[in-house]
Amino acid sequence: MRHSPRGGVGRTSVSDDAQFHPPQALFAISTTSIHPPVDPASASYLQISPRIQAGPHIKSTMSNPFTLNGGACLAMTGKDCVAIACDLRLGQQALTLSNNFPKVFNYGDVWLGLTGLATDVQTIHSLFRYKVNLYRLREEREIEPETMANLVSSTLYERRFGPYYVSPVVAGINQRTGKPFICGFDSIGCIDFAKDFIVSGTASDQLFGVAEGLWEPDLEADELFETISQTLLNSLDRDALAGWGAHVYIIKKDSVTKRLLRTRQD
Amino acid sequence: MASSYLLPHAQHAPHAHPTASSQPRQHHWSPYTENGGVILGIAGKDYVIIAGDTRSSEGYNINTRTARKIFQLGSGIILGVVGMSADGEELARKVARKIDDYKRNHDKHITVSAAAVMLSRTLYQKRFFPYYCQPLLGGLDENGVGAIYTYDYVGSFEREQSRAFGSAAALITPFLDNQINLKNQFVPGSNGEEPRTPGDMPRDLVEKIVKDAFSSAVERQIEVGDGLQMVTVTRAPPRAEEEEATVEDDDEWTGSTISETLSPLKQD
């Protein structure tokens, strides 16, 4: 709370010289800073690559909550259909803890994929179950995918300075218009409306590469299933932090097919 | 994407920073730069393709849109290098010189397998100040079969069928697994029991896949783009019977034909 300029009320007892201390982060996220503290040991030119030391995507998993538990998620559009898929791995760095940890959740007519820190995945899932249930009671109808996108965005932005470490993906078909809808978010709620596909998780580079090569517009439901499955499977095989089975949802206006993919178990 | 919105780190907060007047500031120079780009190599039954983009960048700046990353080293051997372009070019010059020396000393062309070992030794010679580049060596082996040799910075190497190196390697590698090595694909009607076997792929199909891989990478990786350089080694067409080989002819005869094409990629 800020000091009240009028005085009298509020936190006037706080002494003026109290310094602002940034909240202690649970995970210290360090990125390359403009003026890095110079460590004589690391100043040697023998350390080959600046990218290997401090590259944004080759960070130690303990300091990066987004890659601690591993996992991948992918959504794609087709002709009058959408698909959303995820892997099943839950790990702690290189150690696999579970091979049955789905990352796609359903809220009526909307599907939400969540990758990132597993505890936040579960927290966010129960939070949205709560919020969508309240929405359904108040509105007496199911939430639309576009509305869900804005709900996810504003919910994440509420935690702008202490974010949930998740990269959500929304998919669904608008039951009023019949229009397929997908979108993705960063961890503080910036929406990425995509016409083609959305990727998230530790295999996102691989997913981008394969999806860009395999996806084409107006795929029928069965073609879309093949495309999203091949994209996910081949990407998972090149990511040590994701895999161990997959769930694929093919969503049409009045039918949903959920398939479990058998994959390599390594 | 695993982006991070950092909380202010204690050391980076303004008040914890040494001010310009009170503390000496240490400047740092690095002998290495990263020039981006991506290369890929595919070995077929009787051909080898190494392809690379022609962008050379430093950070967000593009130094040139027409930098070639694939070099013809002589004796039917080609080399693709990605990483620091200065080191890559120096390495290519050095190996080309050694291949030429080999020909003069032994009066015969070096084989790819011998050149592969030679490149490994060349990299290891600089074990404690390595060339900052990832090389991909290609050529036809003693049986005329395509060979790709891949290396790390200090010379450990392996013969492979296909490999992508560089800033879009993570994007291209799984695509190649799927389209060249037919990973996760099964024979239709076999109910997922019989995997498709990667057989002899026709060269024109592989060239199409290579172009697709690059145009996909260009869409999502800013360090890749501008142009596609594709260098192919094939068996030379058999010489006519009446054309008797002379000593001079044999001197140049490698049994390989190298062709090079340049095609545009998106420039944004």
Side-chain angles (χ1 to χ4, degrees):
Chain A
M1 185 184 249
R2 290 206 180 87
H3 291 280
S4 165
R6 289 179 298 278
V9 291
R11 302 273 298 278
T12 45
S13 60
V14 176
S15 67
D16 284 343
D17 58 0
Q19 269 192 314
F20 171 71
H21 292 289
Q24 207 46 47
L26 182 58
F27 296 90
I29 307 177
S30 61
T31 55
T32 324
S33 76
I34 302 166
H35 302 290
V38 176
D39 170 14
S42 68
S44 161
Y45 56 72
L46 297 183
Q47 307 225 330
I48 303 175
S49 150
R51 177 175 284 201
I52 286 170
Q53 288 175 52
H57 51 281
I58 312 180
K59 243 185 315 195
S60 117
T61 48
M62 205 53 204
S63 69
N64 187 179
F66 286 98
T67 57
L68 181 74
N69 302 118
C73 183
L74 168 67
M76 281 181 175
T77 59
K79 192 169 188 293
D80 304 320
C81 55
V82 289
I84 184 166
C86 67
D87 75 323
L88 296 182
R89 182 179 181 270
L90 169 72
Q92 195 163 104
Q93 301 196 78
L95 172 69
T96 301
L97 301 174
S98 165
N99 56 8
N100 190 19
F101 191 84
K103 294 157 193 75
V104 170
F105 308 99
N106 171 239
Y107 308 98
D109 297 334
V110 182
W111 280 258
L112 177 68
L114 292 166
T115 64
L117 193 67
T119 182
D120 284 354
V121 169
Q122 291 177 324
T123 307
I124 282 275
H125 164 52
S126 57
L127 182 63
F128 282 120
R129 189 176 48 199
Y130 165 81
K131 288 194 173 194
V132 173
N133 281 344
L134 282 189
Y135 183 95
R136 197 183 291 116
L137 288 168
R138 184 191 286 245
E139 299 277 328
E140 296 186 340
R141 63 188 171 99
E142 294 293 338
I143 195 168
E144 293 177 359
E146 291 85 349
T147 317
M148 182 69 177
N150 288 303
L151 179 65
V152 171
S153 176
S154 53
T155 305
L156 291 174
Y157 197 79
E158 272 183 10
R159 291 280 175 273
R160 170 65 178 80
F161 296 108
Y164 291 113
Y165 299 113
V166 288
S167 312
V169 176
V170 161
I173 289 183
N174 188 310
Q175 289 298 311
R176 210 160 34 82
T177 63
K179 224 182 95 207
F181 177 85
I182 58 165
C183 70
F185 309 82
D186 66 9
S187 59
I188 52 169
C190 175
I191 311 182
D192 172 6
F193 297 106
K195 279 181 279 187
D196 42 12
F197 51 82
I198 291 286
V199 307
S200 94
T202 51
S204 60
D205 280 10
Q206 289 89 335
L207 288 165
F208 268 131
V210 187
E212 199 64 67
L214 298 188
W215 186 89
E216 45 192 276
D218 295 326
L219 291 164
E220 297 295 339
D222 51 343
E223 300 168 319
L224 185 66
F225 168 69
E226 195 62 31
T227 306
I228 195 170
S229 303
Q230 287 292 336
T231 305
L232 187 67
L233 256 36
N234 289 287
S235 301
L236 295 181
D237 290 350
R238 287 288 178 178
D239 181 15
L241 300 179
W244 292 69
H247 283 181
V248 181
Y249 295 81
I250 305 294
I251 301 151
K252 292 197 275 192
K253 188 160 187 287
D254 40 28
S255 76
V256 180
T257 315
K258 178 187 179 183
R259 291 189 178 90
L260 316 177
L261 299 186
R262 208 176 64 190
T263 71
R264 310 172 55 108
Q265 296 293 306
D266 59 2
Chain B
M1 293 273 276
S3 56
S4 52
Y5 292 89
L6 55 155
L7 293 160
H9 193 276
Q11 280 175 308
H12 299 156
H15 59 263
H17 225 28
T19 53
S21 53
S22 68
Q23 293 274 317
R25 191 122 66 90
Q26 184 169 341
H27 289 265
H28 185 61
W29 179 82
S30 166
Y32 292 122
T33 55
E34 163 70 58
N35 296 112
V38 65
I39 53 171
L40 81 82
I42 294 169
K45 270 263 156 55
D46 54 358
Y47 61 87
V48 157
I49 298 174
I50 296 184
D53 69 321
T54 61
R55 177 173 292 181
S56 183
S57 58
E58 262 183 285
Y60 296 134
N61 299 314
I62 295 171
N63 289 337
T64 168
R65 299 183 190 275
T66 56
R68 291 160 189 244
K69 296 180 180 67
I70 298 144
F71 303 93
Q72 301 184 21
L73 304 181
S75 297
I77 287 166
I78 54 177
L79 178 77
V81 270
V82 73
M84 182 179 174
S85 64
D87 276 2
E89 282 175 30
E90 167 63 12
L91 181 68
R93 269 195 296 271
K94 200 177 205 172
V95 178
R97 168 68 188 269
K98 287 185 174 189
I99 285 173
D100 190 49
D101 284 353
Y102 183 101
K103 196 171 78 186
R104 290 170 196 284
N105 291 331
H106 298 89
D107 199 25
K108 65 176 182 184
H109 290 291
I110 196 169
T111 59
V112 244
S113 53
V117 176
M118 188 265 283
L119 174 54
S120 169
R121 302 288 181 266
T122 309
L123 290 164
Y124 196 83
Q125 275 171 10
K126 282 177 65 62
R127 171 64 179 78
F128 295 108
F129 185 17
Y131 288 121
Y132 182 46
C133 59
Q134 287 182 288
L136 237 164
L137 190 81
L140 301 178
D141 70 8
E142 291 92 324
N143 305 314
V145 178
I148 289 282
Y149 287 88
T150 65
Y151 296 79
D152 72 356
Y153 298 99
V154 286
S156 74
F157 72 107
E158 186 183 8
R159 182 173 170 177
E160 292 189 281
Q161 283 301 116
S162 68
R163 170 61 76 188
F165 273 153
S167 52
L171 286 76
I172 290 179
T173 303
F175 182 72
L176 252 36
D177 288 344
N178 188 223
Q179 297 294 311
I180 301 287
N181 299 315
L182 307 182
K183 289 284 162 62
N184 291 111
Q185 293 200 48
F186 294 90
V187 175
S190 73
N191 197 224
E193 297 295 332
E194 196 188 331
R196 281 187 70 190
T197 42
D200 182 24
M201 270 201 171
R203 208 181 108 195
D204 54 343
L205 175 63
V206 170
E207 283 176 358
K208 274 184 188 155
I209 293 171
V210 169
K211 285 185 178 175
D212 276 0
F214 273 88
S215 36
S216 297
V218 168
E219 290 291 327
R220 298 290 178 170
Q221 170 63 49
I222 57 167
E223 288 180 1
V224 179
D226 294 330
L228 175 62
Q229 181 196 9
M230 189 146 59
V231 183
T232 311
V233 188
T234 51
R235 255 202 250 241
R239 283 181 296 181
E241 283 301 316
E242 66 271 16
E243 191 191 333
E244 197 55 49
T246 64
V247 180
E248 292 79 36
D249 247 347
D250 260 353
D251 212 29
E252 295 308 314
W253 177 251
T254 64
S256 303
T257 314
I258 300 179
S259 60
E260 183 170 337
T261 58
L262 282 168
S263 50
L265 288 174
K266 279 170 75 172
Q267 300 206 323
D268 50 10

